[in-house]
Amino acid sequence: MNYTLHQLQIFLKIAELQSITKASEELHLTQPAVSIQLKNFQDQFPIPLTEVVGRRLFITDFGTEIAQAAQRILEQVQEIDHRTVAYQGKLSGRLKLSVVSTGKYVMPYFLSDFIKEHDGIELIMDVTNKTKVVRSLEENEVDFALVSVLPDKLSVSGVELMPNKLFYVSNYHRELPKKVSKKYLFEKIPLIYREPGSATRNAMEYFISQNRYSVTKKLELTSNEAVKQAVIAGLGCSIMPLIGIKNALKSNELKIVPVQGLPITTTWNLIWLKSKNLSPVALALLEYLEQEKDGIIQKKFGWVNGF
């Protein structure tokens, strides 16, 4: 057999996504190129790896076993690469993080120079909602998680990074009464929510319940970016993290509406399981953050203090 590592990577991605189209998009390859590599890989086996039923691609039982073997092979290849780099005196290895969706505006700035300094590190960062972030941490799938609200049922250690402030925001051109009441803001204007499981939604619902507002019109969207665009378009208002709306505020697409009791302020925390044996790469990141985080906050997020 003459299959290549490239073919193993492609087949593994097809098996993971159950789709040639999705695999080609994630691998940044054309669909014909992925199809050709799959055919060349299949030609080396007398048993089908995939089957098409009703225009849907399925992985056969044999294909699933080959995918599992491919995963092990590729992990061993990565280990060889990391050991080679480490033998040359460089820090190397894989760093896996799970980040709540608004954290995509925060975490890259705390990683950028660290990754540039250690080019032997392979970074994998999943951006999702809080429920999935906590689950990935609980199941030991990641080294670190970035959250703005600490999980209740996990024993974790953490590093505080910076404050997270949530404000009531509207379209810049929305006309509001000169003396706008909370009742008007929450009961007369459609309120746009994140999906269940989002920390932003949880904070927003807690604030509303504590103040006993009765929200009569609501929309639900699945990302902070979608909520922002909906507010800009005038579909309603929302309570949003300041960190994700800086440009929209500067360009007069959004405005902050002063509301007593707001902003809601939490803290971005990089957390890990207390029981986890952190890798040299993970430990190096914590050391880097201890030394550099204050400078990063001042340089990249100093504007937050103005709100």
PDB file of all heavy atoms in Angstrom, residues 97-110:
ATOM      1  N   LEU A  97      -7.564  24.905  23.429  1.00  0.00           N
ATOM      2  CA  LEU A  97      -8.409  25.777  24.230  1.00  0.00           C
ATOM      3  C   LEU A  97      -9.845  25.722  23.721  1.00  0.00           C
ATOM      4  O   LEU A  97     -10.085  25.554  22.523  1.00  0.00           O
ATOM      5  CB  LEU A  97      -7.937  27.233  24.164  1.00  0.00           C
ATOM      6  CG  LEU A  97      -6.584  27.588  24.742  1.00  0.00           C
ATOM      7  CD1 LEU A  97      -5.498  27.483  23.690  1.00  0.00           C
ATOM      8  CD2 LEU A  97      -6.615  28.998  25.307  1.00  0.00           C
ATOM      9  N   SER A  98     -10.773  25.904  24.650  1.00  0.00           N
ATOM     10  CA  SER A  98     -12.170  26.091  24.294  1.00  0.00           C
ATOM     11  C   SER A  98     -12.586  27.454  24.841  1.00  0.00           C
ATOM     12  O   SER A  98     -12.355  27.749  26.018  1.00  0.00           O
ATOM     13  CB  SER A  98     -13.039  24.978  24.882  1.00  0.00           C
ATOM     14  OG  SER A  98     -14.360  25.049  24.376  1.00  0.00           O
ATOM     15  N   VAL A  99     -13.181  28.268  23.979  1.00  0.00           N
ATOM     16  CA  VAL A  99     -13.413  29.681  24.294  1.00  0.00           C
ATOM     17  C   VAL A  99     -14.877  30.021  24.056  1.00  0.00           C
ATOM     18  O   VAL A  99     -15.429  29.690  22.997  1.00  0.00           O
ATOM     19  CB  VAL A  99     -12.508  30.566  23.401  1.00  0.00           C
ATOM     20  CG1 VAL A  99     -12.799  32.031  23.608  1.00  0.00           C
ATOM     21  CG2 VAL A  99     -11.039  30.256  23.668  1.00  0.00           C
ATOM     22  N   VAL A 100     -15.514  30.679  25.027  1.00  0.00           N
ATOM     23  CA  VAL A 100     -16.885  31.140  24.799  1.00  0.00           C
ATOM     24  C   VAL A 100     -16.877  32.159  23.666  1.00  0.00           C
ATOM     25  O   VAL A 100     -15.869  32.823  23.418  1.00  0.00           O
ATOM     26  CB  VAL A 100     -17.513  31.746  26.078  1.00  0.00           C
ATOM     27  CG1 VAL A 100     -17.694  30.674  27.140  1.00  0.00           C
ATOM     28  CG2 VAL A 100     -16.681  32.895  26.613  1.00  0.00           C
ATOM     29  N   SER A 101     -18.009  32.273  22.972  1.00  0.00           N
ATOM     30  CA  SER A 101     -18.010  32.981  21.686  1.00  0.00           C
ATOM     31  C   SER A 101     -17.498  34.415  21.766  1.00  0.00           C
ATOM     32  O   SER A 101     -16.743  34.861  20.895  1.00  0.00           O
ATOM     33  CB  SER A 101     -19.404  32.949  21.066  1.00  0.00           C
ATOM     34  OG  SER A 101     -20.347  33.532  21.925  1.00  0.00           O
ATOM     35  N   THR A 102     -17.858  35.153  22.820  1.00  0.00           N
ATOM     36  CA  THR A 102     -17.362  36.525  22.928  1.00  0.00           C
ATOM     37  C   THR A 102     -15.864  36.539  23.197  1.00  0.00           C
ATOM     38  O   THR A 102     -15.181  37.530  22.911  1.00  0.00           O
ATOM     39  CB  THR A 102     -18.103  37.271  24.051  1.00  0.00           C
ATOM     40  OG1 THR A 102     -19.500  37.041  23.915  1.00  0.00           O
ATOM     41  CG2 THR A 102     -17.851  38.757  23.981  1.00  0.00           C
ATOM     42  N   GLY A 103     -15.346  35.439  23.719  1.00  0.00           N
ATOM     43  CA  GLY A 103     -13.920  35.353  24.022  1.00  0.00           C
ATOM     44  C   GLY A 103     -13.029  35.419  22.802  1.00  0.00           C
ATOM     45  O   GLY A 103     -11.819  35.632  22.927  1.00  0.00           O
ATOM     46  N   LYS A 104     -13.629  35.257  21.612  1.00  0.00           N
ATOM     47  CA  LYS A 104     -12.809  35.367  20.399  1.00  0.00           C
ATOM     48  C   LYS A 104     -12.269  36.773  20.205  1.00  0.00           C
ATOM     49  O   LYS A 104     -11.310  36.986  19.458  1.00  0.00           O
ATOM     50  CB  LYS A 104     -13.613  34.940  19.173  1.00  0.00           C
ATOM     51  CG  LYS A 104     -14.776  35.829  18.797  1.00  0.00           C
ATOM     52  CD  LYS A 104     -15.460  35.334  17.522  1.00  0.00           C
ATOM     53  CE  LYS A 104     -16.682  36.172  17.165  1.00  0.00           C
ATOM     54  NZ  LYS A 104     -17.818  35.841  18.036  1.00  0.00           N
ATOM     55  N   TYR A 105     -12.887  37.754  20.887  1.00  0.00           N
ATOM     56  CA  TYR A 105     -12.389  39.120  20.824  1.00  0.00           C
ATOM     57  C   TYR A 105     -11.271  39.359  21.856  1.00  0.00           C
ATOM     58  O   TYR A 105     -10.666  40.425  21.866  1.00  0.00           O
ATOM     59  CB  TYR A 105     -13.510  40.118  21.100  1.00  0.00           C
ATOM     60  CG  TYR A 105     -14.682  40.022  20.142  1.00  0.00           C
ATOM     61  CD1 TYR A 105     -15.910  39.526  20.573  1.00  0.00           C
ATOM     62  CD2 TYR A 105     -14.557  40.421  18.810  1.00  0.00           C
ATOM     63  CE1 TYR A 105     -16.990  39.441  19.696  1.00  0.00           C
ATOM     64  CE2 TYR A 105     -15.621  40.333  17.930  1.00  0.00           C
ATOM     65  CZ  TYR A 105     -16.837  39.838  18.381  1.00  0.00           C
ATOM     66  OH  TYR A 105     -17.905  39.743  17.520  1.00  0.00           O
ATOM     67  N   VAL A 106     -11.042  38.378  22.730  1.00  0.00           N
ATOM     68  CA  VAL A 106     -10.115  38.548  23.848  1.00  0.00           C
ATOM     69  C   VAL A 106      -8.898  37.635  23.734  1.00  0.00           C
ATOM     70  O   VAL A 106      -7.749  38.091  23.715  1.00  0.00           O
ATOM     71  CB  VAL A 106     -10.842  38.276  25.190  1.00  0.00           C
ATOM     72  CG1 VAL A 106      -9.859  38.336  26.354  1.00  0.00           C
ATOM     73  CG2 VAL A 106     -11.984  39.260  25.393  1.00  0.00           C
ATOM     74  N   MET A 107      -9.144  36.332  23.663  1.00  0.00           N
ATOM     75  CA  MET A 107      -8.071  35.345  23.820  1.00  0.00           C
ATOM     76  C   MET A 107      -6.957  35.474  22.787  1.00  0.00           C
ATOM     77  O   MET A 107      -5.773  35.307  23.136  1.00  0.00           O
ATOM     78  CB  MET A 107      -8.673  33.932  23.795  1.00  0.00           C
ATOM     79  CG  MET A 107      -7.752  32.872  24.388  1.00  0.00           C
ATOM     80  SD  MET A 107      -7.465  33.150  26.145  1.00  0.00           S
ATOM     81  CE  MET A 107      -5.694  32.967  26.267  1.00  0.00           C
ATOM     82  N   PRO A 108      -7.235  35.742  21.511  1.00  0.00           N
ATOM     83  CA  PRO A 108      -6.126  35.825  20.540  1.00  0.00           C
ATOM     84  C   PRO A 108      -5.045  36.821  20.928  1.00  0.00           C
ATOM     85  O   PRO A 108      -3.854  36.594  20.645  1.00  0.00           O
ATOM     86  CB  PRO A 108      -6.834  36.242  19.248  1.00  0.00           C
ATOM     87  CG  PRO A 108      -8.210  35.677  19.383  1.00  0.00           C
ATOM     88  CD  PRO A 108      -8.548  35.844  20.835  1.00  0.00           C
ATOM     89  N   TYR A 109      -5.410  37.922  21.602  1.00  0.00           N
ATOM     90  CA  TYR A 109      -4.420  38.931  21.978  1.00  0.00           C
ATOM     91  C   TYR A 109      -3.497  38.434  23.096  1.00  0.00           C
ATOM     92  O   TYR A 109      -2.372  38.913  23.233  1.00  0.00           O
ATOM     93  CB  TYR A 109      -5.117  40.219  22.410  1.00  0.00           C
ATOM     94  CG  TYR A 109      -5.833  40.901  21.270  1.00  0.00           C
ATOM     95  CD1 TYR A 109      -7.200  40.758  21.103  1.00  0.00           C
ATOM     96  CD2 TYR A 109      -5.126  41.665  20.346  1.00  0.00           C
ATOM     97  CE1 TYR A 109      -7.863  41.381  20.046  1.00  0.00           C
ATOM     98  CE2 TYR A 109      -5.772  42.290  19.289  1.00  0.00           C
ATOM     99  CZ  TYR A 109      -7.142  42.136  19.149  1.00  0.00           C
ATOM    100  OH  TYR A 109      -7.784  42.742  18.091  1.00  0.00           O
ATOM    101  N   PHE A 110      -3.981  37.492  23.910  1.00  0.00           N
ATOM    102  CA  PHE A 110      -3.150  36.924  24.971  1.00  0.00           C
ATOM    103  C   PHE A 110      -2.308  35.747  24.462  1.00  0.00           C
ATOM    104  O   PHE A 110      -1.481  35.226  25.197  1.00  0.00           O
ATOM    105  CB  PHE A 110      -4.027  36.475  26.137  1.00  0.00           C
ATOM    106  CG  PHE A 110      -4.629  37.607  26.916  1.00  0.00           C
ATOM    107  CD1 PHE A 110      -5.896  38.075  26.621  1.00  0.00           C
ATOM    108  CD2 PHE A 110      -3.917  38.223  27.936  1.00  0.00           C
ATOM    109  CE1 PHE A 110      -6.449  39.139  27.334  1.00  0.00           C
ATOM    110  CE2 PHE A 110      -4.454  39.282  28.646  1.00  0.00           C
ATOM    111  CZ  PHE A 110      -5.721  39.739  28.346  1.00  0.00           C
TER     112      PHE A 110
END
